[in-house]
Amino acid sequence: MARLDITETDRRAHGHDIGVLNRLIEVTVDSAKGYRDAARDSQDPGRKLTYGRRAEQRDAVVETLQATLRDLGGQPGDSGSLLGKAHRAFMDVKHALLRDDDTLDGSIRNGESWLIDTWEVALNDPDLGEPTREIVRRALDVIDPHPGDREEHLLPPEDGLRA
């Protein structure tokens, strides 16, 4: 993705964009960690592969957002949220008790729905600068390649994991 070219004066005016990007980094790091945990815990080799790919995809999106944030003069975060950490801990306990891939799929559906909602709110933020909005739009296309169809998004048909 293209880097933003801004002057030092412009950097001071981008506080809102920096805050939005840091929030998106935080929730996307949560998503990547959730997918890594799911890849580790899944009993199904196809799901392990899919979840691992999704973690890598999320990591790439985080790197793009961090570079954009630096271009705006901000200091990017690199950790997830406390809520995300709590959710993963809850899912670890639940999965330890139930030990099935349906539990993982349910957790992923919930997390991804929340993630996409957060990204959509950011994209529609009227105070977000247009160059930043375009980067958010392109990254959301990676995160949610099938807008409006969460089943397609979560379980790609090419991986044979349809619910």
Side-chain angles (χ1 to χ4, degrees):
M1 291 186 192
R3 295 179 65 106
L4 295 176
D5 185 21
I6 60 174
T7 66
E8 187 61 36
T9 305
D10 293 333
R11 291 179 199 277
R12 285 174 270 179
H14 292 292
H16 181 74
D17 288 14
I18 289 169
V20 169
L21 289 172
N22 261 325
R23 178 67 178 138
L24 292 176
I25 289 168
E26 186 176 74
V27 298
T28 307
V29 165
D30 285 339
S31 177
K33 287 178 180 177
Y35 274 119
R36 268 191 287 287
D37 289 351
R40 176 198 67 214
D41 294 340
S42 178
Q43 302 302 310
D44 180 276
R47 281 182 169 84
K48 282 183 177 291
L49 183 62
T50 298
Y51 297 155
R53 278 193 231 137
R54 290 282 169 86
E56 291 170 2
Q57 178 194 62
R58 297 305 193 259
D59 289 338
V61 167
V62 166
E63 288 173 13
T64 297
L65 295 178
Q66 288 171 330
T68 300
L69 203 138
R70 279 187 214 91
D71 289 346
L72 291 173
Q75 179 63 37
D78 60 0
S79 63
S81 68
L82 186 58
L83 181 62
K85 189 179 288 186
H87 177 72
R88 285 189 305 278
F90 170 74
M91 288 313 300
D92 283 347
V93 170
K94 186 175 178 182
H95 183 69
L97 295 174
L98 300 176
R99 297 200 181 276
D100 64 13
D101 282 311
D102 289 339
T103 303
L104 291 173
D105 288 346
S107 175
I108 287 170
R109 278 187 175 78
N110 290 339
E112 286 297 285
S113 180
W114 184 75
L115 174 76
I116 292 167
D117 289 347
T118 301
W119 273 81
E120 288 174 345
V121 166
L123 182 63
N124 294 312
D125 182 333
D127 297 324
L128 196 63
E130 281 308 313
T132 304
R133 183 182 319 283
E134 184 55 31
I135 288 169
V136 169
R137 180 179 293 113
R138 282 186 263 150
L140 181 55
D141 287 344
V142 172
I143 296 248
D144 187 12
H146 304 283
D149 191 344
R150 299 282 168 96
E151 287 301 311
E152 282 290 326
H153 166 70
L154 293 173
L155 301 173
E158 67 272 10
D159 289 336
L161 299 177
R162 304 286 282 186

